[in-house]
Amino acid sequence: MIDIHSHILFGVDDGAKDLEESIAMARMASSDGVTHMIATPHFFENGTTSKTNLLQKIETLQRALHAEDIPLTVLPGNEVRVNSAAFIYTHAQQDHFLYLNAAKGFVLLEQCWNHYNEDTPEIVDFFLHQQTRPIIPHPERHYFFREQPQLLMELIHQGAWTQVTADSLIGTNGKEAADFSKWLLQQNLVHTLATDAHNVKRKPNLSAGVQMAKQLANEAQTRAILERMEQVIA
């Protein structure tokens, strides 16, 4: 399996606190059946880390995993927050953040927690015009998507994908997130799954989300979700 959203990278945001915790998370992910995990530290106003620093940390982590004989490949990425259109365009032009693959085919595009940014449709178009598909992480955890599903459906209609979190499907993120994630799945509006793992407690548990998807959706839907996750790193 491919985990396209995680905070496994140590010492850069609210994810793994040190290399040892990154290694522990990697061991959990590998034991869970994950072969590739994209490290997606947050990228937002007053919260940016240089690509050089992130790539160096990934190299350090990958060497440690090799030494520990943990068969997990960690790939570079960012979870880019929609602070404003100007913020996105400036940093995209200056190539400051990481996409989800080297070809810039996908970008993880996160909303702020306290409001829906009305620049989002314009930003989605911006990325689509440069042949990058935005993936909206954890929409089920945002109150404005739960209260106004049409906001999310309009972005999907434009061409964005969604990424529902395993913890939401299994109920760890609360009833509202669980109910909305299951509704999205039943409406065939879930394009990918991920863990959004942050530490050994908020842990990598992708298989649990996949199993729940298999219970709630048909086989073809589940297979399509897994294939899209593979497509992200292809």
Side-chain angles (χ1 to χ4, degrees), residues 8-10 19 22-23 26-27 30 34-39 54-76:
I8 191 174
L9 205 56
F10 59 97
L19 179 59
S22 292
I23 294 170
R27 186 173 285 109
S30 179
V34 172
T35 59
H36 296 75
M37 175 178 274
I38 307 180
L54 297 184
L55 293 172
Q56 288 174 344
K57 284 179 176 287
I58 286 176
E59 185 178 350
T60 298
L61 175 56
Q62 197 68 68
R63 284 200 306 267
L65 299 186
H66 180 73
E68 295 281 339
D69 198 26
I70 299 172
L72 180 75
T73 299
V74 180
L75 301 169

Side-chain angles (χ1 to χ4, degrees), residues 200-212:
V200 294
K201 292 184 178 179
R202 190 173 166 183
K203 62 184 180 180
N205 59 350
L206 189 55
S207 67
V210 171
Q211 289 304 314
M212 184 62 71

Side-chain angles (χ1 to χ4, degrees), residues 12-214:
V12 292
D13 62 359
D14 59 346
K17 63 181 182 298
D18 52 31
L19 179 59
E20 288 69 27
E21 185 161 41
S22 292
I23 294 170
M25 291 172 67
R27 186 173 285 109
M28 288 177 174
S30 179
S31 296
D32 194 48
V34 172
T35 59
H36 296 75
M37 175 178 274
I38 307 180
T40 52
H42 297 287
F43 187 97
F44 58 95
E45 286 181 345
N46 303 317
T48 62
T49 303
S50 74
K51 289 168 66 173
T52 300
N53 187 20
L54 297 184
L55 293 172
Q56 288 174 344
K57 284 179 176 287
I58 286 176
E59 185 178 350
T60 298
L61 175 56
Q62 197 68 68
R63 284 200 306 267
L65 299 186
H66 180 73
E68 295 281 339
D69 198 26
I70 299 172
L72 180 75
T73 299
V74 180
L75 301 169
N78 273 123
E79 183 177 13
V80 183
R81 187 168 298 170
V82 182
N83 289 118
S84 68
F87 173 80
I88 296 293
Y89 300 157
T90 296
H91 288 285
Q93 182 179 23
Q94 297 175 7
D95 201 27
H96 282 168
F97 55 77
L98 289 158
Y99 294 75
L100 297 184
N101 62 24
K104 299 184 178 181
F106 299 89
V107 64
L108 201 60
L109 196 63
E110 179 190 36
Q111 289 291 315
C112 296
W113 288 101
N114 59 355
H115 72 284
Y116 173 71
N117 193 303
E118 295 184 355
D119 290 345
T120 304
E122 175 189 332
I123 294 167
V124 167
D125 272 341
F126 164 78
F127 281 116
L128 290 172
H129 286 150
Q130 67 177 35
Q131 308 303 310
T132 300
R133 188 183 298 277
I135 299 179
I136 312 299
H138 47 62
E140 75 283 355
R141 296 182 60 209
H142 290 287
Y143 76 89
F144 41 81
F145 285 142
R146 295 196 300 262
E147 293 178 357
Q148 302 179 72
Q150 69 272 15
L151 293 175
L152 182 62
M153 295 174 74
E154 287 168 4
L155 300 179
I156 294 171
H157 182 71
Q158 280 183 262
W161 284 0
T162 60
Q163 173 264 294
V164 163
T165 305
D167 270 340
S168 297
L169 278 176
I170 66 176
T172 307
N173 288 332
K175 186 178 186 302
E176 290 183 331
D179 288 347
F180 192 52
S181 64
K182 291 174 183 177
W183 181 83
L184 289 171
L185 195 59
Q186 291 162 347
Q187 300 300 312
N188 201 18
L189 297 175
V190 176
H191 298 94
T192 63
L193 299 173
T195 65
D196 192 12
H198 277 62
N199 47 54
V200 294
K201 292 184 178 179
R202 190 173 166 183
K203 62 184 180 180
N205 59 350
L206 189 55
S207 67
V210 171
Q211 289 304 314
M212 184 62 71
K214 287 179 178 178

